[in-house]
Coordinates of all heavy atoms in Angstrom, one line a residue:
M1 N -1.6 21.0 4.6 CA -0.7 19.9 4.5 C -0.8 19.3 3.1 O -1.9 19.0 2.6 CB -1.0 18.8 5.5 CG 0.1 17.7 5.6 SD -0.2 16.4 6.8 CE 0.1 17.1 8.4
S2 N 0.3 19.2 2.4 CA 0.2 18.7 1.0 C -0.1 17.2 1.0 O 0.1 16.5 2.0 CB 1.6 18.9 0.3 OG 2.6 18.0 0.8
L3 N -0.5 16.6 -0.2 CA -0.7 15.2 -0.3 C 0.5 14.4 0.1 O 0.4 13.4 0.8 CB -1.2 14.9 -1.7 CG -1.6 13.4 -1.9 CD1 -2.6 12.9 -0.9 CD2 -2.1 13.2 -3.4
Q4 N 1.7 14.8 -0.4 CA 2.9 14.1 -0.1 C 3.1 14.1 1.5 O 3.5 13.1 2.0 CB 4.1 14.8 -0.8 CG 5.4 14.0 -0.6 CD 5.3 12.6 -1.2 OE1 4.9 12.4 -2.4 NE2 5.7 11.6 -0.5
E5 N 2.9 15.2 2.1 CA 3.1 15.2 3.6 C 2.0 14.3 4.3 O 2.4 13.6 5.2 CB 2.9 16.7 4.1 CG 4.1 17.6 3.7 CD 3.8 19.0 4.0 OE1 2.6 19.5 3.9 OE2 4.8 19.8 4.2
Q6 N 0.8 14.3 3.8 CA -0.2 13.4 4.3 C 0.2 12.0 4.1 O 0.0 11.1 5.0 CB -1.6 13.7 3.7 CG -2.2 15.0 4.0 CD -3.5 15.2 3.2 OE1 -4.2 14.3 3.0 NE2 -3.8 16.4 2.9
F7 N 0.7 11.7 3.0 CA 1.2 10.3 2.6 C 2.3 9.9 3.6 O 2.2 8.8 4.1 CB 1.6 10.3 1.2 CG 2.0 8.9 0.7 CD1 1.1 7.9 0.5 CD2 3.4 8.7 0.4 CE1 1.5 6.7 0.0 CE2 3.8 7.5 -0.1 CZ 2.8 6.4 -0.3
N8 N 3.2 10.8 3.8 CA 4.3 10.5 4.7 C 3.9 10.3 6.1 O 4.3 9.4 6.8 CB 5.4 11.6 4.7 CG 6.1 11.7 3.3 OD1 6.1 10.7 2.5 ND2 6.7 12.8 3.0
Q9 N 2.9 11.1 6.6 CA 2.3 10.9 7.9 C 1.6 9.6 8.0 O 1.6 8.9 9.1 CB 1.5 12.1 8.3 CG 0.9 12.1 9.7 CD 2.0 12.1 10.7 OE1 2.9 12.9 10.7 NE2 1.9 11.2 11.7
A10 N 0.8 9.3 7.0 CA 0.0 8.0 7.0 C 1.0 6.8 7.1 O 0.7 5.8 7.8 CB -0.8 7.9 5.8
Q11 N 2.1 6.9 6.5 CA 3.1 5.9 6.5 C 3.6 5.7 8.0 O 3.7 4.5 8.5 CB 4.3 6.2 5.7 CG 5.4 5.1 5.7 CD 6.6 5.5 4.9 OE1 6.7 6.6 4.3 NE2 7.6 4.6 4.8
I12 N 3.8 6.8 8.7 CA 4.2 6.7 10.1 C 3.0 6.1 10.9 O 3.2 5.3 11.8 CB 4.6 8.1 10.6 CG1 5.9 8.5 9.9 CG2 4.8 8.1 12.1 CD1 6.2 10.0 10.1
D13 N 1.8 6.7 10.7 CA 0.7 6.2 11.4 C 0.4 4.7 11.2 O -0.1 4.1 12.1 CB -0.6 7.0 11.0 CG -0.5 8.5 11.4 OD1 0.4 8.8 12.3 OD2 -1.3 9.3 10.9
S14 N 0.7 4.2 10.0 CA 0.4 2.8 9.7 C 1.2 1.9 10.7 O 0.7 0.7 10.9 CB 0.7 2.5 8.3 OG 2.1 2.4 8.1
K15 N 2.3 2.3 11.2 CA 3.1 1.5 12.1 C 2.6 1.5 13.5 O 3.1 0.8 14.4 CB 4.6 1.9 12.0 CG 5.2 1.7 10.7 CD 6.6 2.4 10.6 CE 7.3 2.1 9.3 NZ 6.7 2.1 8.1
N16 N 1.6 2.4 13.8 CA 1.1 2.6 15.1 C -0.4 2.4 15.3 O -1.0 3.0 16.1 CB 1.5 4.0 15.6 CG 3.0 4.3 15.6 OD1 3.7 3.4 16.1 ND2 3.4 5.4 15.1
L17 N -0.9 1.5 14.4 CA -2.4 1.2 14.5 C -2.7 0.5 15.8 O -1.8 -0.4 16.2 CB -2.8 0.4 13.3 CG -2.7 1.1 11.9 CD1 -3.0 0.2 10.8 CD2 -3.6 2.4 11.9
S18 N -3.8 0.7 16.4 CA -4.2 0.1 17.6 C -4.3 -1.5 17.5 O -4.0 -2.2 18.4 CB -5.5 0.7 18.2 OG -6.5 0.5 17.3
E19 N -4.8 -1.9 16.3 CA -4.8 -3.4 16.1 C -4.3 -3.7 14.7 O -4.4 -2.9 13.8 CB -6.2 -4.0 16.4 CG -7.3 -3.3 15.6 CD -8.7 -3.9 16.0 OE1 -9.1 -3.7 17.1 OE2 -9.3 -4.6 15.1
R20 N -3.8 -4.9 14.6 CA -3.2 -5.3 13.3 C -4.3 -5.6 12.3 O -5.2 -6.4 12.6 CB -2.4 -6.6 13.5 CG -1.6 -7.0 12.3 CD -0.7 -8.3 12.6 NE 0.2 -8.6 11.6 CZ -0.1 -9.3 10.5 NH1 -1.3 -9.8 10.4 NH2 0.8 -9.6 9.6
P21 N -4.3 -5.0 11.1 CA -5.3 -5.3 10.1 C -5.2 -6.8 9.6 O -4.1 -7.4 9.8 CB -5.0 -4.4 9.0 CG -4.1 -3.3 9.6 CD -3.4 -4.0 10.7
D22 N -6.3 -7.3 9.0 CA -6.3 -8.6 8.5 C -5.3 -8.6 7.2 O -4.9 -7.6 6.7 CB -7.7 -9.1 8.1 CG -8.3 -8.2 7.1 OD1 -7.9 -8.3 5.9 OD2 -9.3 -7.5 7.4
N23 N -5.0 -9.8 6.8 CA -4.1 -10.0 5.7 C -4.5 -9.3 4.4 O -3.6 -8.7 3.7 CB -3.8 -11.5 5.4 CG -2.9 -12.1 6.5 OD1 -2.3 -11.4 7.3 ND2 -2.9 -13.4 6.6
M24 N -5.8 -9.3 4.1 CA -6.2 -8.7 2.8 C -6.0 -7.2 2.9 O -5.6 -6.5 2.0 CB -7.7 -9.0 2.5 CG -7.9 -10.5 2.1 SD -6.8 -11.0 0.8 CE -7.5 -10.1 -0.6
T25 N -6.3 -6.6 4.1 CA -6.1 -5.2 4.3 C -4.6 -4.8 4.3 O -4.2 -3.8 3.7 CB -6.7 -4.7 5.6 OG1 -8.1 -5.1 5.6 CG2 -6.6 -3.2 5.8
L26 N -3.8 -5.7 4.9 CA -2.3 -5.4 4.8 C -1.8 -5.4 3.4 O -1.0 -4.6 3.0 CB -1.6 -6.5 5.6 CG -1.7 -6.4 7.1 CD1 -1.1 -7.6 7.8 CD2 -1.1 -5.1 7.6
L27 N -2.4 -6.3 2.5 CA -2.0 -6.4 1.1 C -2.4 -5.1 0.4 O -1.6 -4.5 -0.4 CB -2.6 -7.6 0.4 CG -1.9 -8.9 0.6 CD1 -2.7 -10.0 -0.1 CD2 -0.5 -8.8 0.0
K28 N -3.6 -4.6 0.8 CA -4.1 -3.3 0.2 C -3.2 -2.2 0.6 O -2.8 -1.3 -0.2 CB -5.5 -3.1 0.6 CG -6.1 -1.9 -0.1 CD -7.6 -1.9 0.1 CE -8.2 -0.7 -0.7 NZ -9.7 -0.6 -0.5
I29 N -2.8 -2.1 1.9 CA -1.9 -1.1 2.4 C -0.6 -1.1 1.6 O -0.1 -0.1 1.1 CB -1.7 -1.2 3.9 CG1 -3.0 -0.9 4.7 CG2 -0.5 -0.4 4.4 CD1 -2.9 -1.3 6.1
Y30 N 0.0 -2.3 1.5 CA 1.2 -2.5 0.8 C 1.1 -2.0 -0.7 O 2.0 -1.3 -1.1 CB 1.7 -4.0 0.8 CG 2.9 -4.3 0.0 CD1 4.1 -4.1 0.4 CD2 2.7 -4.8 -1.3 CE1 5.3 -4.3 -0.4 CE2 3.8 -5.0 -2.1 CZ 5.1 -4.8 -1.6 OH 6.2 -5.0 -2.4
A31 N 0.1 -2.5 -1.3 CA -0.1 -2.2 -2.8 C -0.2 -0.7 -3.0 O 0.4 -0.1 -3.9 CB -1.2 -2.9 -3.4
L32 N -1.1 0.0 -2.2 CA -1.3 1.4 -2.3 C 0.0 2.2 -2.0 O 0.3 3.2 -2.6 CB -2.4 1.9 -1.4 CG -3.8 1.5 -1.8 CD1 -4.8 1.8 -0.7 CD2 -4.2 2.2 -3.1
F33 N 0.7 1.7 -1.0 CA 2.0 2.4 -0.6 C 3.0 2.3 -1.8 O 3.6 3.3 -2.2 CB 2.6 1.8 0.6 CG 4.0 2.4 0.9 CD1 4.1 3.7 1.5 CD2 5.1 1.7 0.5 CE1 5.3 4.2 1.7 CE2 6.4 2.3 0.8 CZ 6.5 3.6 1.4
K34 N 3.1 1.1 -2.4 CA 4.1 0.9 -3.5 C 3.7 1.7 -4.7 O 4.5 2.3 -5.4 CB 4.2 -0.6 -3.8 CG 4.9 -1.4 -2.7 CD 6.3 -1.0 -2.5 CE 7.2 -1.6 -3.6 NZ 8.6 -1.3 -3.4
Q35 N 2.4 1.7 -5.0 CA 1.9 2.4 -6.2 C 2.1 3.9 -5.9 O 2.5 4.7 -6.8 CB 0.4 2.1 -6.4 CG -0.1 2.7 -7.7 CD 0.4 2.0 -9.0 OE1 0.8 0.9 -8.9 NE2 0.2 2.6 -10.1
G36 N 1.8 4.4 -4.7 CA 1.9 5.8 -4.4 C 3.4 6.3 -4.3 O 3.6 7.4 -4.6
S37 N 4.3 5.4 -4.0 CA 5.7 5.8 -3.9 C 6.5 5.5 -5.1 O 7.5 6.2 -5.4 CB 6.3 5.2 -2.6 OG 6.3 3.8 -2.7
S38 N 6.2 4.4 -5.8 CA 7.0 3.9 -6.9 C 6.3 3.9 -8.3 O 7.0 3.7 -9.3 CB 7.5 2.5 -6.6 OG 8.2 2.5 -5.4
G39 N 5.0 4.0 -8.3 CA 4.3 3.9 -9.6 C 4.0 2.4 -9.9 O 3.9 1.6 -9.0
D40 N 3.8 2.2 -11.2 CA 3.4 0.8 -11.6 C 4.4 -0.2 -11.2 O 5.6 0.0 -11.2 CB 3.1 0.8 -13.1 CG 1.8 1.5 -13.5 OD1 0.9 1.6 -12.6 OD2 1.7 1.8 -14.7
V41 N 3.9 -1.4 -11.0 CA 4.7 -2.6 -10.6 C 5.8 -2.8 -11.6 O 5.6 -2.6 -12.8 CB 3.8 -3.8 -10.4 CG1 3.3 -4.4 -11.7 CG2 4.6 -4.9 -9.7
T42 N 7.0 -3.3 -11.1 CA 8.1 -3.6 -12.0 C 8.7 -4.9 -11.6 O 8.4 -5.4 -10.5 CB 9.2 -2.5 -11.8 OG1 9.6 -2.5 -10.5 CG2 8.8 -1.1 -12.3
G43 N 9.5 -5.5 -12.4 CA 10.2 -6.7 -12.1 C 9.3 -8.0 -12.5 O 8.2 -7.9 -13.0
E44 N 9.9 -9.1 -12.3 CA 9.3 -10.4 -12.6 C 8.3 -10.8 -11.4 O 8.6 -10.5 -10.3 CB 10.4 -11.5 -12.7 CG 11.3 -11.3 -13.9 CD 10.6 -11.6 -15.2 OE1 9.9 -12.6 -15.3 OE2 10.8 -10.8 -16.2
R45 N 7.3 -11.5 -11.8 CA 6.4 -12.0 -10.8 C 7.0 -13.2 -10.1 O 7.6 -14.1 -10.7 CB 5.1 -12.5 -11.5 CG 4.0 -13.0 -10.5 CD 2.8 -13.3 -11.3 NE 1.7 -13.6 -10.4 CZ 0.8 -14.6 -10.6 NH1 0.9 -15.3 -11.7 NH2 -0.2 -14.8 -9.7
P46 N 7.1 -13.1 -8.7 CA 7.7 -14.2 -8.0 C 7.1 -15.6 -8.3 O 5.9 -15.7 -8.7 CB 7.5 -13.9 -6.5 CG 7.3 -12.4 -6.6 CD 6.6 -12.1 -7.8
G47 N 7.9 -16.6 -8.1 CA 7.4 -18.0 -8.4 C 6.4 -18.5 -7.4 O 6.1 -17.9 -6.4
M48 N 5.8 -19.6 -7.8 CA 4.7 -20.2 -7.0 C 5.1 -20.6 -5.6 O 4.2 -20.6 -4.7 CB 4.2 -21.5 -7.7 CG 3.6 -21.3 -9.1 SD 1.9 -20.9 -9.1 CE 1.2 -22.4 -8.4
T49 N 6.3 -20.8 -5.3 CA 6.7 -21.2 -4.0 C 6.9 -20.1 -3.0 O 6.9 -20.3 -1.8 CB 8.0 -22.0 -4.0 OG1 9.0 -21.2 -4.6 CG2 7.9 -23.3 -4.8
D50 N 7.0 -18.9 -3.5 CA 7.1 -17.7 -2.6 C 5.7 -17.0 -2.5 O 5.5 -16.0 -3.2 CB 8.2 -16.7 -3.2 CG 8.6 -15.7 -2.2 OD1 7.9 -15.5 -1.1 OD2 9.6 -15.0 -2.4
F51 N 4.9 -17.6 -1.7 CA 3.5 -17.2 -1.6 C 3.3 -15.7 -1.2 O 2.5 -15.0 -1.8 CB 2.7 -18.0 -0.6 CG 2.7 -19.5 -1.0 CD1 3.3 -20.4 -0.2 CD2 2.0 -19.9 -2.1 CE1 3.3 -21.8 -0.6 CE2 2.0 -21.2 -2.5 CZ 2.6 -22.2 -1.7
V52 N 4.1 -15.3 -0.2 CA 4.0 -13.9 0.3 C 4.4 -12.9 -0.7 O 3.6 -11.9 -1.0 CB 4.8 -13.7 1.6 CG1 4.8 -12.3 2.1 CG2 4.2 -14.6 2.7
A53 N 5.5 -13.1 -1.3 CA 6.0 -12.1 -2.4 C 5.1 -12.1 -3.6 O 4.8 -11.1 -4.1 CB 7.4 -12.5 -2.8
R54 N 4.6 -13.3 -3.9 CA 3.7 -13.4 -5.1 C 2.3 -12.6 -4.8 O 1.8 -11.9 -5.6 CB 3.4 -14.8 -5.4 CG 2.6 -15.0 -6.7 CD 2.5 -16.6 -7.0 NE 1.8 -16.8 -8.2 CZ 2.4 -17.2 -9.3 NH1 3.7 -17.2 -9.4 NH2 1.7 -17.4 -10.4
A55 N 1.8 -12.7 -3.5 CA 0.6 -12.0 -3.2 C 0.8 -10.5 -3.2 O 0.0 -9.8 -3.6 CB 0.1 -12.5 -1.8
K56 N 2.0 -10.1 -2.7 CA 2.3 -8.7 -2.7 C 2.4 -8.1 -4.1 O 1.9 -7.1 -4.4 CB 3.6 -8.4 -1.9 CG 3.5 -8.5 -0.4 CD 4.9 -8.3 0.2 CE 4.8 -8.2 1.7 NZ 6.2 -7.9 2.3
Y57 N 3.1 -8.9 -4.9 CA 3.3 -8.5 -6.3 C 1.9 -8.4 -7.0 O 1.6 -7.4 -7.7 CB 4.2 -9.5 -7.1 CG 4.4 -9.2 -8.5 CD1 5.6 -8.5 -8.9 CD2 3.5 -9.5 -9.5 CE1 5.8 -8.1 -10.2 CE2 3.8 -9.2 -10.8 CZ 4.9 -8.5 -11.2 OH 5.1 -8.2 -12.5
D58 N 1.1 -9.4 -6.8 CA -0.3 -9.4 -7.5 C -1.1 -8.2 -7.0 O -1.9 -7.6 -7.8 CB -1.0 -10.7 -7.2 CG -0.3 -11.9 -8.0 OD1 0.5 -11.6 -8.9 OD2 -0.7 -13.0 -7.7
A59 N -1.0 -7.9 -5.7 CA -1.8 -6.8 -5.1 C -1.4 -5.5 -5.8 O -2.2 -4.7 -6.1 CB -1.7 -6.8 -3.6
W60 N 0.0 -5.3 -5.9 CA 0.5 -4.1 -6.5 C 0.1 -4.1 -8.0 O -0.3 -3.0 -8.5 CB 2.0 -4.1 -6.3 CG 2.7 -2.9 -6.7 CD1 2.2 -1.7 -7.2 CD2 4.1 -2.7 -6.8 NE1 3.2 -0.8 -7.5 CE2 4.4 -1.4 -7.3 CE3 5.2 -3.5 -6.5 CZ2 5.7 -0.9 -7.4 CZ3 6.5 -3.0 -6.7 CH2 6.7 -1.7 -7.1
A61 N 0.3 -5.2 -8.7 CA -0.1 -5.2 -10.1 C -1.5 -4.9 -10.3 O -1.9 -4.3 -11.4 CB 0.3 -6.6 -10.7
G62 N -2.4 -5.2 -9.4 CA -3.8 -4.9 -9.5 C -4.1 -3.4 -9.5 O -5.2 -3.0 -10.0
L63 N -3.2 -2.6 -9.1 CA -3.3 -1.1 -9.2 C -2.7 -0.5 -10.4 O -2.6 0.8 -10.5 CB -2.7 -0.5 -7.9 CG -3.4 -0.9 -6.6 CD1 -2.6 -0.3 -5.4 CD2 -4.8 -0.4 -6.6
Q64 N -2.2 -1.3 -11.3 CA -1.5 -0.8 -12.5 C -2.4 0.3 -13.2 O -3.5 0.0 -13.4 CB -1.1 -1.9 -13.4 CG -0.2 -1.4 -14.5 CD 0.8 -2.5 -14.9 OE1 0.9 -3.5 -14.3 NE2 1.6 -2.2 -15.9
G65 N -1.8 1.4 -13.5 CA -2.5 2.4 -14.2 C -3.1 3.5 -13.3 O -3.5 4.6 -13.7
T66 N -3.1 3.2 -12.0 CA -3.6 4.2 -11.0 C -2.4 5.2 -10.8 O -1.3 4.9 -10.7 CB -3.8 3.5 -9.6 OG1 -4.8 2.5 -9.8 CG2 -4.4 4.5 -8.6
S67 N -2.8 6.5 -10.9 CA -1.8 7.5 -10.7 C -1.2 7.5 -9.3 O -1.8 7.0 -8.4 CB -2.4 8.9 -11.0 OG -3.2 9.3 -9.9
Q68 N 0.0 7.9 -9.2 CA 0.7 7.9 -7.8 C -0.1 8.8 -6.9 O -0.3 8.4 -5.7 CB 2.1 8.4 -8.0 CG 3.0 7.4 -8.5 CD 4.5 7.8 -8.5 OE1 5.0 8.4 -9.5 NE2 5.2 7.6 -7.4
E69 N -0.7 9.9 -7.4 CA -1.4 10.8 -6.5 C -2.7 10.1 -6.0 O -3.1 10.3 -4.8 CB -1.8 12.1 -7.2 CG -0.6 13.0 -7.5 CD 0.2 12.5 -8.8 OE1 -0.3 11.7 -9.6 OE2 1.4 13.0 -8.9
E70 N -3.4 9.4 -6.9 CA -4.6 8.7 -6.5 C -4.3 7.6 -5.5 O -5.0 7.4 -4.5 CB -5.3 8.1 -7.8 CG -6.6 7.3 -7.4 CD -7.7 8.1 -6.8 OE1 -7.8 9.3 -6.9 OE2 -8.5 7.5 -6.1
A71 N -3.2 6.9 -5.7 CA -2.8 5.8 -4.8 C -2.5 6.4 -3.4 O -2.8 5.9 -2.4 CB -1.7 5.0 -5.4
Q72 N -1.8 7.6 -3.5 CA -1.4 8.2 -2.2 C -2.7 8.6 -1.4 O -2.8 8.4 -0.2 CB -0.5 9.4 -2.4 CG 0.9 9.1 -2.9 CD 1.7 10.3 -3.2 OE1 1.3 11.4 -3.1 NE2 3.0 10.1 -3.4
Q73 N -3.7 9.2 -2.1 CA -4.9 9.6 -1.5 C -5.6 8.4 -0.9 O -6.1 8.5 0.2 CB -5.8 10.4 -2.4 CG -7.0 11.0 -1.8 CD -6.6 12.0 -0.7 OE1 -6.0 13.0 -1.0 NE2 -7.0 11.7 0.5
Q74 N -5.7 7.3 -1.7 CA -6.4 6.1 -1.2 C -5.7 5.5 0.0 O -6.3 5.1 1.0 CB -6.5 5.1 -2.3 CG -7.4 5.4 -3.4 CD -7.5 4.3 -4.4 OE1 -7.4 3.1 -4.1 NE2 -7.7 4.7 -5.7
Y75 N -4.3 5.6 0.0 CA -3.5 5.1 1.2 C -3.8 6.0 2.4 O -4.1 5.4 3.5 CB -2.0 5.2 0.8 CG -1.1 4.7 1.8 CD1 -0.8 3.4 2.0 CD2 -0.5 5.6 2.7 CE1 0.1 2.9 3.0 CE2 0.4 5.2 3.7 CZ 0.7 3.9 3.8 OH 1.6 3.4 4.7
V76 N -3.8 7.3 2.3 CA -4.1 8.2 3.4 C -5.5 7.9 3.9 O -5.7 7.8 5.1 CB -4.0 9.7 2.9 CG1 -4.5 10.6 4.0 CG2 -2.5 10.0 2.6
D77 N -6.5 7.8 3.0 CA -7.9 7.5 3.5 C -8.0 6.2 4.2 O -8.7 6.1 5.2 CB -8.8 7.5 2.3 CG -8.9 8.9 1.6 OD1 -8.5 9.9 2.2 OD2 -9.4 9.0 0.5
L78 N -7.3 5.1 3.7 CA -7.4 3.8 4.3 C -6.7 3.8 5.7 O -7.3 3.3 6.7 CB -6.7 2.8 3.4 CG -6.6 1.4 4.0 CD1 -8.0 0.8 4.3 CD2 -5.9 0.4 3.0
I79 N -5.6 4.5 5.9 CA -4.9 4.5 7.2 C -5.8 5.3 8.1 O -5.9 5.0 9.3 CB -3.5 5.1 7.0 CG1 -2.6 4.2 6.2 CG2 -2.9 5.3 8.4 CD1 -2.5 2.8 6.6
E80 N -6.4 6.4 7.7 CA -7.3 7.2 8.5 C -8.4 6.4 9.0 O -8.8 6.4 10.2 CB -7.8 8.5 7.8 CG -6.7 9.6 7.7 CD -6.3 10.1 9.1 OE1 -7.1 10.4 10.0 OE2 -5.0 10.2 9.3
E81 N -9.0 5.6 8.1 CA -10.1 4.7 8.4 C -9.7 3.7 9.5 O -10.4 3.4 10.4 CB -10.6 4.0 7.2 CG -11.8 3.1 7.3 CD -12.2 2.5 6.0 OE1 -12.2 3.2 5.0 OE2 -12.5 1.3 6.1
L82 N -8.5 3.1 9.3 CA -8.0 2.1 10.3 C -7.7 2.7 11.6 O -7.8 2.0 12.6 CB -6.8 1.4 9.7 CG -7.1 0.5 8.4 CD1 -5.8 0.0 7.8 CD2 -8.0 -0.6 8.8
K83 N -7.3 3.9 11.6 CA -7.0 4.6 12.9 C -8.2 4.8 13.7 O -8.2 4.8 14.9 CB -6.3 6.0 12.7 CG -4.9 5.9 12.3 CD -4.2 7.2 11.9 CE -4.6 8.4 12.7 NZ -4.0 9.7 12.3
G84 N -9.4 5.0 13.0 CA -10.7 5.2 13.5 C -10.9 5.2 14.9 O -11.6 5.4 15.7

């Protein structure tokens, strides 16, 4: 199975985890997914009043410079660990 196929399967698996991850893990899942699928963060950082969007943006921005392949592998590994 190619990395892209593993990444796609992990995306499906992430929706069927036995228990909901904590918020920090959810942010990491989001950031790795966005970096793996879209590359480096784009757009303006959301304002102070939009806490959720700002946290997501900051998590994704924290991965800036990580290759899409590396982010995909980390995403696959994290979802596999959470499926545990």
Side-chain angles (χ1 to χ4, degrees):
M1 191 183 281
S2 73
L3 179 56
Q4 185 63 50
E5 291 169 330
Q6 291 176 35
F7 182 70
N8 293 340
Q9 183 60 50
Q11 180 185 1
I12 294 166
D13 293 345
S14 73
K15 294 172 177 38
N16 300 312
L17 296 174
S18 58
E19 56 184 64
R20 186 178 191 275
D22 63 68
N23 287 341
M24 291 307 291
T25 304
L26 287 172
L27 279 174
K28 187 172 183 176
I29 289 170
Y30 172 83
L32 287 170
F33 176 78
K34 292 296 283 183
Q35 188 73 18
S37 60
S38 303
D40 286 342
V41 70
T42 57
E44 294 288 318
R45 185 176 187 219
M48 296 274 295
T49 57
D50 193 348
F51 300 113
V52 173
R54 190 175 179 100
K56 286 180 171 182
Y57 182 94
D58 290 347
W60 184 9
L63 294 175
Q64 190 143 354
T66 303
S67 73
Q68 283 186 266
E69 294 78 16
E70 177 61 26
Q72 287 178 355
Q73 186 61 59
Q74 288 181 34
Y75 180 84
V76 168
D77 293 345
L78 178 57
I79 297 303
E80 282 301 312
E81 182 182 317
L82 292 172
K83 281 173 42 180

